[in-house]
Amino acid sequence: MLYYYWSRKGIRPSELHNLPAGEQWLIRVFYEMEMEERERIAKTGNVWATLPMF
């Protein structure tokens, strides 16, 4: 996770380490959500975002 944020978001590991525990937890949850979304996209092959039609 630390490498991901450093390489893709430009956030140094020390910045994440120095956050309060609640914010570290929230960032971890967001990371897991993004990884699940990437996995879902990879499985379906749907690389283009779609918007619901009104």
Side-chain angles (χ1 to χ4, degrees), residues 2-52:
L2 294 176
Y3 177 76
Y4 170 82
Y5 277 105
W6 175 66
S7 65
R8 298 218 167 76
K9 311 289 184 185
I11 300 173
R12 295 187 313 263
S14 61
E15 292 177 58
L16 293 173
H17 179 73
N18 292 329
L19 292 174
E23 288 185 30
Q24 288 179 359
W25 174 81
L26 186 60
I27 287 175
R28 178 69 184 190
V29 170
F30 288 159
Y31 171 79
E32 291 174 5
M33 289 173 61
E34 186 169 345
M35 292 302 112
E36 289 173 3
E37 182 179 354
R38 286 174 176 244
E39 184 178 326
R40 180 186 54 78
I41 289 170
K43 283 183 181 177
T44 62
N46 183 14
V47 296
W48 299 102
T50 56
L51 299 174

